[in-house]
């Protein structure tokens, strides 16, 4: 492929007031309106105590930030992406980046909690209006994990040297919801300082995530999955109170080592993964392993009787590939294994429970998505502004997932970057006739059928 004209015959001018670069934001914003985003913000978010008018029109400001994030904005300056061409012909209430920055910096911890309430109810409305979580009435998985987001500004509140030596970070905590046939959506998020322990506040966080799952239609079996950082009595007690089950990696403490050593050789079952899974210790891809179960293992035996929990301990073991099977001319005296146990009350049979637990890694896809989109930067030096930015990203992520679910089966499973490319970043020319607006889209757009299915369902009259 090459340019069709000589350089002298090509020119460019930014002078057409009837063009928009992001026509896909029209059905995206309509879907947000149908699910009551503005009304929820008006009802829940009350920025009282500000003297600069930052709390006025909170619904328009939240909508401006969410829609900008849906278009790919990852900083406050990027929020000006809505202020081009004919965007004011298809949207009202667009706010300037400086106004939105002032709005975010006006947040306190209490205001951030108000925004969390909006996020929680907005997810419930998205799940009610779109096929966001198919099969949620039968089984759903709630995955909890934390991540570190590197920051560079020394004045950024909460940024500290934590797990990574010499690197200043903030330490967000997030929980996702998925079903066996759906991609994950975000149940809840929390911004924390860089030194915060992974499990800090985890029981309360888990309780909120499980309650949010119910609001999103997860009325069947709910299984909490988490890494060993969340293996504690408080998290399991929160699951029990909520009527949910748990599947949590335990790590290797002395009690678990003794339990694994007592497993007879004939108890191990072979398991083969259709797609290789990464070894949590070495990062190597593992296709084959062996699995065994201890049906009644009592965890937290040193605690009070009320805090002890008896459930299944399922152990996966893989050969330690770092140890050669043959050393010189002498064969291996005995195999060397690495063990990966998890504690669960999942009623599924052993191999299925093991496969379901390993699928906890889907939460990493959400974390990777965040760092490739709105969380590429945490844009403010103010901790609570960044906490609000994190929650607004979670709302945007769920909105894009719902948009994909409305568009096509392919986009229901696609990454949000793909949804942006296929459905949001569609240029259009605005034409007006008889007080109506028509969006003229590119001829032969490769994802035309998905877009034209999305538009009438999201932008048409409420049914």
């Amino acid at each position: 492929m090459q340019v069709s004209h000589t350089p002298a015959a090509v020119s460019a001018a930014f002078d057409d007031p009837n063009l928009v670069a992001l026509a896909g934001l029209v059905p995206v914003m309509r879907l947000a309106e149908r699910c009551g985003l503005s009304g929820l913000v008006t009802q829940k978010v009350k920025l009282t105590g500000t003297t600069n008018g930052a709390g006025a029109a909170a619904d328009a400001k939240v909508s401006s930030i969410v829609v900008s994030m849906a278009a790919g904005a990852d900083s406050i300056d990027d929020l000006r992406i809505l202020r081009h061409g004919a965007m004011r012909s298809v949207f009202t209430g667009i706010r300037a980046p400086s106004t939105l920055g002032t709005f975010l910096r006006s947040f306190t911890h209490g205001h951030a909690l108000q925004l969390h309430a909006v996020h929680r109810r907005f997810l419930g409305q998205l799940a009610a209006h779109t096929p966001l979580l198919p099969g949620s009435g039968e089984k759903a998985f709630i995955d909890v994990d934390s991540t570190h987001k590197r920051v560079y500004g020394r004045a950024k509140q909460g940024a500290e040297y934590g797990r990574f030596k010499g690197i200043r970070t903030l330490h967000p905590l997030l929980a996702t919801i998925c079903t066996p046939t759906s991609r994950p959506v975000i149940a809840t998020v929390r911004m924390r300082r860089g030194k915060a322990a992974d499990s800090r506040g985890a029981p309360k966080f888990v309780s909120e995530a499980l309650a949010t799952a119910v609001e999103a239609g997860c009325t069947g079996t709910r299984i909490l999955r988490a890494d060993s950082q969340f293996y504690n009595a408080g998290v399991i007690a929160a699951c029990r109170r909520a009527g949910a089950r748990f599947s949590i990696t335990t790590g290797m403490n002395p009690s678990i080592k003794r339990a694994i050593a007592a497993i007879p050789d004939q108890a191990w079952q072979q398991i083969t993964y259709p797609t290789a899974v990464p070894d949590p210790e070495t990062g190597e891809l593992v296709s084959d392993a062996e699995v065994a179960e201890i049906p009644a293992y009592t965890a937290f035996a040193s605690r009070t009787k009320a805090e002890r929990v008896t459930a299944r301990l399922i152990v996966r073991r893989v050969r330690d590939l770092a140890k050669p099977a043959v050393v010189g001319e002498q064969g291996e005296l005995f195999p060397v294994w690495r063990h990966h146990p998890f504690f669960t009350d999942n009623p599924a049979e052993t191999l299925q429970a093991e496969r379901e637990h390993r699928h906890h890694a889907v939460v990493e896809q959400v974390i990777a998505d965040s760092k490739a989109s709105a969380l590429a930067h945490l844009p403010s030096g103010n901790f609570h502004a960044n906490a609000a930015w994190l929650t607004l990203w979670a709302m945007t992520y769920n909105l894009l997932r719902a948009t994909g679910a409305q568009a096509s089966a392919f986009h229901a499973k696609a990454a949000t970057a793909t949804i942006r490319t296929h459905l949001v970043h569609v240029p259009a020319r605005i034409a007006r006739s008889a007080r109506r607006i028509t969006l003229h889209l590119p001829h032969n757009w490769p994802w035309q059928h998905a877009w034209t299915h999305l538009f009438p369902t999201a932008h048409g009259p409420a049914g």
Side-chain angles (χ1 to χ4, degrees):
M1 187 176 75
Q2 60 185 17
V3 178
S4 60
H5 293 71
T6 64
V10 178
S11 61
F14 289 92
D15 60 358
D16 196 325
N18 294 315
L19 294 181
V20 295
L22 305 163
L25 290 181
V26 176
V28 169
M29 188 61 213
R30 180 63 72 184
L31 178 59
E33 291 175 354
R34 287 163 65 93
C35 294
L37 176 59
S38 295
L40 289 170
V41 174
T42 301
Q43 179 185 357
K44 297 291 182 182
V45 179
K46 309 292 184 182
L47 267 69
T48 56
T50 59
T51 59
N52 55 3
D59 56 335
K61 294 171 183 175
V62 166
S63 298
S64 294
I65 296 172
V66 166
V67 172
S68 298
M69 286 182 173
D74 64 7
S75 67
I76 292 175
D77 191 56
D78 279 357
L79 300 179
R80 69 181 63 193
I81 196 170
L82 300 183
R83 297 162 66 86
H84 73 267
M87 290 295 280
R88 291 188 181 277
S89 297
V90 291
F91 297 107
T92 60
I94 297 174
R95 296 299 193 266
S98 58
T99 302
L100 299 176
T102 301
F103 171 69
L104 290 172
R105 288 188 294 273
S106 299
F107 271 73
T108 65
H109 176 66
H111 298 139
L113 293 180
Q114 294 172 1
L115 199 59
H116 291 156
V118 174
H119 163 74
R120 177 173 172 173
R121 286 159 180 78
F122 184 52
L123 174 58
Q125 289 298 312
L126 288 172
H129 285 80
T130 67
L132 188 60
L133 292 168
S136 59
E138 298 176 5
K139 180 182 286 189
F141 300 100
I142 295 86
D143 296 294
V144 179
D145 205 352
S146 64
T147 184
H148 285 264
K149 181 67 188 77
R150 184 174 187 176
V151 297
Y152 297 91
R154 291 188 174 274
K156 202 170 286 273
Q157 292 179 352
E160 297 171 334
Y161 297 112
R163 177 181 300 175
F164 303 103
K165 185 176 180 180
I167 297 177
R168 297 164 59 86
T169 67
L170 289 169
H171 193 182
L173 184 64
L174 72 159
T176 64
I177 307 170
C178 68
T179 69
T181 58
S182 76
R183 287 289 293 265
V185 296
I186 299 173
T188 187
V189 290
R190 286 289 185 278
M191 181 63 76
R192 303 179 305 168
R193 63 189 184 92
K195 278 187 178 179
D198 287 322
S199 60
R200 181 182 178 184
K204 183 178 180 181
F205 186 80
V206 165
S207 296
E208 181 178 338
L210 292 171
T212 302
V214 174
E215 290 191 25
C218 302
T219 55
T221 301
R222 290 168 296 149
I223 302 176
L224 178 90
R225 301 185 296 200
D227 290 333
S228 57
Q229 297 95 327
F230 302 93
Y231 175 62
N232 62 64
V235 168
I236 292 177
C239 293
R240 292 283 174 89
R241 287 194 301 270
R245 299 184 180 274
F246 57 85
S247 182
I248 304 176
T249 302
T250 65
M252 295 292 289
N253 61 42
S255 173
I256 288 173
K257 288 180 180 179
R258 289 193 298 269
I260 293 174
I263 298 175
D265 288 339
Q266 62 271 21
W268 295 97
Q269 306 177 58
Q270 187 74 21
I271 184 171
T272 300
Y273 301 100
T275 56
V277 298
D279 188 295
E281 292 184 8
T282 66
E284 297 172 343
L285 295 179
V286 177
S287 298
D288 298 288
E290 294 182 355
V291 177
E293 176 182 342
I294 300 169
Y297 173 79
T298 300
F300 319 118
S302 62
R303 290 177 171 265
T304 64
K305 188 174 181 180
E307 293 179 301
R308 298 171 190 168
V309 181
T310 300
R312 307 163 70 187
L313 184 69
I314 298 177
V315 186
R316 180 186 64 165
R317 70 177 187 180
V318 296
R319 292 292 297 270
D320 190 342
L321 300 181
K323 305 293 192 299
V326 176
V327 180
E329 297 181 357
Q330 182 177 347
E332 183 181 43
L333 297 178
F334 54 87
V336 179
W337 302 93
R338 287 196 308 277
H339 297 90
H340 308 289
F342 66 96
F343 190 52
T344 183
D345 61 354
N346 185 346
E349 60 90 23
T350 304
L351 296 186
Q352 180 184 347
E354 205 281 335
R355 290 189 181 96
E356 289 180 346
H357 178 76
R358 300 302 162 193
H359 198 246
H360 165 68
V362 296
V363 70
E364 299 293 345
Q365 298 172 1
V366 179
I367 293 173
D369 185 289
S370 74
K371 294 179 180 180
S373 56
L375 293 195
H377 307 94
L378 290 170
S380 179
N382 183 290
F383 180 85
H384 296 302
N386 288 327
W389 184 269
L390 174 68
T391 305
L392 290 165
W393 161 73
M395 294 163 62
T396 305
Y397 177 89
N398 291 344
L399 178 59
L400 286 173
R401 290 252 57 88
T403 299
Q406 285 280 58
S408 70
F410 168 79
H411 291 98
K413 297 289 184 72
T416 57
T418 301
I419 294 173
R420 287 190 193 92
T421 301
H422 292 185
L423 304 178
V424 176
H425 294 171
V426 187
R429 178 174 56 83
I430 303 296
R432 300 171 180 83
S433 176
R435 298 184 180 180
R436 295 174 60 88
I437 288 179
T438 301
L439 300 175
H440 290 276
L441 305 167
H443 180 61
N444 284 338
W445 184 254
W447 306 281
Q448 172 182 341
H449 295 297
W451 204 96
T452 53
H453 183 265
L454 168 67
F455 187 83
T457 54
H459 193 72

